[in-house]
Amino acid sequence: MPHEPQPQPPDELDAQAVRAWSSLAVAALGRAREDIDAINVYPVADADTGTNLYLTAESADRALDEALGEVTEGTPQTSLAQAVRAYAHGALVGARGNSGTILAQLLRGVADVLGDEPGARGPGAVLAQALTRAAESAYAAVAHPVEGTMLTVATAAARAGEAAGAAAGTAADVARAAYDGARAALAETPGQLAVLGRAGVVDAGGCGVVAVLGALWQALSGQEPAAEPVRGRAVPVPRPAEPCASGQDGPAYEVIYLLEAAEPAVADLRARLDGLGDSLVVIGGDGLWNVHVHVDDPGAAVEAGVVAGRPYRIRITHFGDEMRRARGERAQRAVVAVVPGEGLAGLCARAGATAVLARPGEVPTAAGLLDAIRRAHAREVVLLPGGADVRAVAAAAAEQARADGVRVAVIPTRSAVQGLAALAVHDPDGSFDEDVVAMTAAAGATRCAELAVAERQSFTSAGICQAGDVLGLIDGDVAVIGASLAETAEAVLERMLGSGGELVTLVLGPEVPDALAERLEAYVQHGHLAVDTVTYRGGRHSAPLLIGVE
């Protein structure tokens, strides 16, 4: 239920103060959301900074609500430490975009201090230290910090708060000083970052910091800021007619995922991702991290996460699509593909498709597919379900999308390799009907196989298998039972190529060595000189081996 934030006594810093802060921050960012989006020119002019900050704050607010729960008689009150940790965790798992990820790290820095015993320090001194820790940890999370951004604004706020805390100010005094320091620093950002100066705008992320700090002061003092915490800009600046060109020459994709990994592995991940792209921000700790990076090869960015630990909640966004949405434009046509692994998701993204991840045996919901269709933001959408068990929900999502005015065609692909074949002939500039016919023909002309390991003894169309046997399924039916992956794969290839073929596609699972691909490529070349072979990595959760023959 919506909650009315209650003003706090001037020097009270407790769970209810965090509750009020969170609620007021969501409200402030909600009011400023569109205006902040409108001045978003750095690091990429995709007009979503306000939205990302708002959604991150909303996620933090939900987590805080769950932590506080319904307090009943006899139930222990939630402590300040529990509240701030829940608040920061909610921001971590729900962080969106570059700005939202940095905001989440700022909140984590606050929680690192407020989550400890304050000792003899007063609330004002503790809050000042928390704001300083927040700014320092945010700087540390960004691979290459840039001045004139929300990092600069947060640092100025922390310095002002420290001065107020050193003067024995109350928590409200510290919050007010930090808010005023942030506003002053925001006004200076056009002179610190050239792209802002050229566009005549202040930093969009810095606007979000001002809004959040204004909410903190209001929560602790009970007083509303003299003006709106932020209405997209803190100094009179002209709004650009359309998003600035900045960033369009940089990496093409934004990749975000949550990662379960040990800290040493994350250090290696940072180095690897830093070599792949820019705008790298890695936040978190205690085994859970939020990874954000801009790259040209989204599959490589996700694979780096697979090497480090377990990535999930993966979001791959093409900046061209985001900029088009920001201008209110729809693409003429888009492709949405359901795939079983992160590597395949990156491959589809590079081909211009919106990927929906689904582990083997899992079926995405119609709502999830509909969301992907809407994110594609196109007048026409080709949907590749990638499995017979997904067709029903794909058809339901397509019907709902048609009700929204989107023209949708579902191509009945039975495997990810058929989807790759369809994507290979996709022609976004041709007529919709001709494109669908060509993609359907390419998928239909691709025989597909999957290798899996039997979990128990069972009767199959190829005989009785034992637990641990390798099963070779061709077009959905078990055709080969073998003792090893390599031998079974060769037997499957021989059967599939017996009726001809021009191209073999191999999609390797996460545990399959490159040596297997080399062996199978040699096997195909030796027996079928005119047949080419291409190999991809499916990523975590993909089957041990997928084979396509066209």
Side-chain angles (χ1 to χ4, degrees):
M1 290 180 60
H3 32 249
E4 291 295 329
Q6 297 299 315
Q8 299 295 303
D11 208 32
E12 190 72 29
L13 196 57
D14 58 14
Q16 289 308 311
V18 178
R19 163 72 280 150
W21 178 23
S22 175
S23 180
L24 289 165
V26 170
L29 289 170
R31 290 191 297 271
R33 176 177 177 173
E34 292 184 2
D35 287 330
I36 295 177
D37 281 345
I39 63 166
N40 170 202
V41 299
Y42 182 84
V44 177
D46 49 357
D48 66 354
T49 291
T51 298
N52 288 336
L53 288 166
Y54 175 77
L55 293 175
T56 302
E58 206 176 36
S59 175
D61 192 64
R62 285 195 301 270
L64 180 58
D65 259 350
E66 292 174 7
L68 292 174
E70 292 294 332
V71 178
T72 58
E73 188 174 351
T75 302
Q77 295 281 342
T78 303
S79 69
L80 171 63
Q82 291 171 319
V84 293
R85 287 171 183 157
Y87 191 34
H89 181 76
L92 170 70
V93 299
R96 298 284 289 267
N98 191 70
S99 56
T101 307
I102 294 173
L103 174 61
Q105 187 67 359
L106 289 169
L107 295 180
R108 181 179 176 85
V110 169
D112 285 344
V113 173
L114 297 188
D116 291 337
E117 289 296 326
R121 296 170 297 166
V126 173
L127 180 58
Q129 183 184 352
L131 294 175
T132 298
R133 179 75 63 84
E136 291 173 347
S137 62
Y139 261 97
V142 178
H144 302 285
V146 174
E147 296 305 324
T149 64
M150 61 191 298
L151 295 174
T152 307
V153 174
T155 298
R159 288 176 183 153
E162 283 281 8
T170 66
D173 292 336
V174 169
R176 177 58 192 263
Y179 173 57
D180 289 341
R183 286 176 61 84
L186 180 63
E188 299 298 322
T189 56
Q192 296 171 309
L193 191 55
V195 65
L196 302 179
R198 288 195 298 270
V201 296
V202 294
D203 181 64
C207 287
V209 173
V210 170
V212 171
L213 289 173
L216 176 61
W217 174 60
Q218 185 176 356
L220 292 172
S221 68
Q223 303 178 51
E224 290 191 30
E228 282 288 326
V230 62
R231 290 291 295 172
R233 47 196 177 276
V235 294
V237 291
R239 181 183 300 182
E242 61 182 51
C244 175
S246 170
Q248 293 186 22
D249 294 330
Y253 298 92
E254 177 184 61
V255 178
I256 302 175
Y257 50 81
L258 292 179
L259 177 71
E260 293 179 357
E263 193 158 344
V266 173
D268 293 338
L269 173 68
R270 289 177 191 269
R272 188 170 178 182
L273 291 178
D274 197 24
L276 289 176
D278 59 30
S279 296
L280 173 61
V281 185
V282 181
I283 66 171
D286 302 320
L288 181 63
W289 311 83
N290 189 304
V291 179
H292 170 280
V293 68
H294 296 172
V295 293
D296 281 321
D297 187 348
V302 175
E303 284 299 318
V306 172
V307 172
R310 186 178 79 87
Y312 61 103
R313 290 197 192 176
I314 300 163
R315 292 182 63 89
I316 299 173
T317 303
H318 188 271
F319 285 124
D321 294 339
E322 287 299 298
M323 292 174 185
R324 191 168 53 245
R325 291 187 193 103
R327 295 192 294 268
E329 300 173 3
R330 278 180 174 248
Q332 182 59 34
R333 189 173 312 141
V335 177
V336 173
V338 180
V339 293
E342 295 92 340
L344 288 170
L347 190 64
C348 289
R350 289 195 298 275
T354 298
V356 177
L357 277 171
R359 298 181 185 182
E362 290 185 357
V363 178
T365 64
L369 290 182
L370 180 62
D371 176 66
I373 292 171
R374 287 171 173 166
R375 282 191 286 114
H377 203 68
R379 298 181 182 88
E380 302 166 342
V381 172
V382 180
L383 182 55
L384 307 174
D389 53 348
V390 186
R391 290 184 199 171
V393 292
E399 276 302 310
Q400 294 178 64
R402 291 180 188 120
D404 293 341
V406 181
R407 190 178 183 189
V408 183
V410 180
I411 295 178
T413 52
R414 301 187 304 278
S415 168
V417 291
Q418 288 189 325
L420 293 177
L423 271 173
V425 301
H426 170 50
D427 179 13
D429 297 322
S431 77
F432 183 69
D433 291 335
E434 290 175 354
D435 194 26
V436 170
V437 168
M439 294 177 74
T440 302
T446 302
R447 299 190 68 195
C448 52
E450 176 181 340
L451 271 67
V453 178
E455 296 180 355
R456 59 184 180 277
Q457 184 186 65
S458 181
F459 291 95
T460 75
S461 52
I464 299 176
C465 71
Q466 305 297 325
D469 284 346
V470 179
L471 307 180
L473 293 84
I474 300 178
D475 294 328
D477 294 322
V478 177
V480 178
I481 300 174
S484 73
L485 194 64
E487 292 174 358
T488 308
E490 289 177 349
V492 167
L493 280 168
E494 190 58 35
R495 290 198 180 204
M496 296 179 76
L497 290 170
S499 56
E502 298 176 354
L503 176 66
V504 170
T505 300
L506 305 175
V507 181
L508 307 184
E511 306 300 329
V512 177
D514 292 335
L516 176 63
E518 295 169 2
R519 173 173 171 170
L520 296 180
E521 287 175 12
Y523 179 82
V524 171
Q525 187 175 25
H526 177 74
H528 307 273
L529 295 177
V531 179
D532 293 325
T533 305
V534 294
T535 302
Y536 303 110
R537 277 283 173 186
R540 187 181 293 269
H541 305 310
S542 65
L545 182 64
L546 297 176
I547 300 174
V549 174
E550 301 176 46

